[in-house]
């Protein structure tokens, strides 16, 4: 691994994460400014640590020469949504953007993993402007509901403790929790219009109160 200058190697990935977080947060703001429902609720991002990259290289038999093309999640963005339908709306938005190119998609919502994991993964090719010109890097965007994200965060924490080899009881409880989480999403989808109407009413009331306060000053 000594051949790779890790600090230098990770600079464009860090830049990509910073830029993409700003772009998706601005996209959310754009929907809200137009008084429309935003399919994006929260946006976070991270760059894989060097230790995590090395571990995955060993586990997946990825060579240094093929690292940039074979490891698609060195730069990672996570978009959280209120509803399952929002996930697919966000995926459509990614396809029509001209500042990135969708390379691969994996739908773990329609086809959940045996563990119960659900999410929608999109791998994009994203251009980065560097001192030496433009380079294209791969980044992975995970799109999921708030409920899916809660389950995934807990499962990820347990994975650190058990190294993926969960006791049978915990494994079964995680699966049941995943199903309960998805049932929650399904129920919320059934009353989605009511929820959105209530949220819009709250937003309008808050705006009216703010305007009224401003007029009294």
């Amino acid at each position: 691994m000594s051949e790779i200058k890790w600090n230098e190697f990770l600079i464009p990935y860090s830049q990509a994460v910073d830029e993409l977080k700003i772009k998706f947060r601005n996209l959310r703001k754009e929907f809200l400014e137009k008084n429309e429902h935003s399919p994006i609720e929260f946006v976070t991002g991270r760059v894989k640590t060097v230790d995590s990259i090395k571990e995955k290289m060993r586990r997946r038999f990825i060579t240094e020469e093929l690292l940039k093309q074979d490891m698609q999640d060195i730069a990672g963005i996570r978009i959280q949504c209120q509803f399952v339908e929002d996930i697919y709306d966000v995926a459509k938005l990614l396809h029509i953007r001209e500042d990135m190119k969708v390379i691969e998609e994996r739908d773990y919502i329609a086809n959940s993993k045996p563990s119960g994991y659900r999410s929608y993964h999109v791998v994009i090719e994203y251009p980065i402007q560097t001192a030496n010109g433009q380079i294209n890097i791969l980044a992975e965007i995970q799109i999921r509901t708030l409920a899916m994200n809660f389950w995934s965060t807990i499962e990820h924490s347990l994975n650190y403790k058990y190294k993926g080899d969960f006791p049978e009881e915990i494994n079964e409880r995680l699966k049941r929790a995943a199903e309960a989480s998805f049932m929650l999403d399904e129920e919320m989808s059934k009353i989605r219009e009511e929820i959105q109407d209530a949220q819009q009413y709250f937003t309008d009331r808050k705006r009216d109160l703010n305007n009224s306060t401003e007029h009294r000053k």
Side-chain angles (χ1 to χ4, degrees):
M1 304 297 172
S2 58
E3 291 84 352
I4 297 180
K5 297 178 181 177
W6 287 107
N7 287 339
E8 181 180 330
F9 177 83
L10 291 176
I11 286 175
Y13 292 96
S14 179
Q15 181 178 333
V17 168
D18 290 342
E19 291 182 8
L20 288 168
K21 284 193 299 184
I22 290 172
K23 288 182 177 183
F24 291 130
R25 286 169 182 169
N26 282 342
L27 186 58
R28 166 180 163 74
K29 187 183 298 184
E30 184 181 338
F31 278 105
L32 297 179
E33 287 294 328
K34 293 190 293 185
N35 216 25
E36 296 178 6
H37 169 71
S38 170
I40 297 172
E41 191 68 14
F42 298 110
V43 181
T44 57
R46 62 96 186 103
V47 177
K48 262 188 185 303
T49 64
V50 174
D51 286 343
S52 181
I53 293 172
K54 289 179 178 179
E55 188 277 329
K56 190 169 183 178
M57 289 175 73
R58 288 191 294 268
R59 180 162 40 90
R60 298 285 182 89
F61 303 102
I62 298 173
T63 63
E64 292 180 357
E65 293 75 21
L66 296 177
L67 178 59
K68 291 182 180 180
Q69 66 186 64
D70 284 0
M71 196 173 297
Q72 301 173 328
D73 63 342
I74 295 176
I77 295 291
R78 184 170 299 160
I79 297 176
Q80 295 180 51
C81 310
Q82 288 190 350
F83 305 101
V84 174
E85 292 83 359
D86 292 338
I87 294 173
Y88 295 101
D89 287 340
V90 172
K92 291 176 184 176
L93 289 172
L94 297 180
H95 276 279
I96 64 175
R97 292 190 70 99
E98 297 183 356
D99 54 347
M100 61 191 71
K101 179 182 178 182
V102 173
I103 300 297
E104 185 178 325
E105 293 173 88
R106 295 185 292 274
D107 188 347
Y108 296 121
I109 300 171
N111 303 286
S112 62
K113 291 186 177 182
S115 64
Y117 176 85
R118 286 183 171 89
S119 186
Y120 197 96
H121 292 194
V122 181
V123 177
I124 63 167
E125 185 180 76
Y126 184 72
I128 288 292
Q129 303 299 326
T130 73
N132 297 317
Q134 178 175 299
I135 62 171
N136 294 322
I137 68 166
L138 297 180
E140 182 182 72
I141 301 173
Q142 297 179 356
I143 318 168
R144 56 180 66 150
T145 63
L146 302 172
M148 291 174 193
N149 189 66
F150 172 70
W151 183 93
S152 179
T153 300
I154 298 302
E155 192 267 351
H156 188 68
S157 299
L158 288 170
N159 199 39
Y160 269 110
K161 178 178 180 180
Y162 293 106
K163 308 298 182 184
D165 188 19
F166 297 127
E168 187 59 31
E169 180 185 359
I170 291 180
N171 200 37
E172 288 303 316
R173 288 184 180 277
L174 277 173
K175 288 180 181 178
R176 289 200 295 271
E179 289 307 312
S181 171
F182 193 61
M183 285 178 63
L184 172 62
D185 280 332
E186 288 185 318
E187 289 301 316
M188 291 300 102
S189 288
K190 291 174 183 177
I191 56 172
R192 179 165 56 109
E193 290 186 7
E194 289 291 333
I195 294 171
Q196 289 176 349
D197 285 346
Q199 290 172 338
Q200 187 62 53
Y201 175 78
F202 176 78
T203 300
D204 291 342
R205 286 285 296 163
K206 185 177 180 181
R207 185 183 297 111
D208 291 342
L209 287 172
N210 288 339
N211 289 338
S212 177
T213 303
E214 287 296 320
H215 287 317
R216 287 199 298 268
K217 288 182 179 178

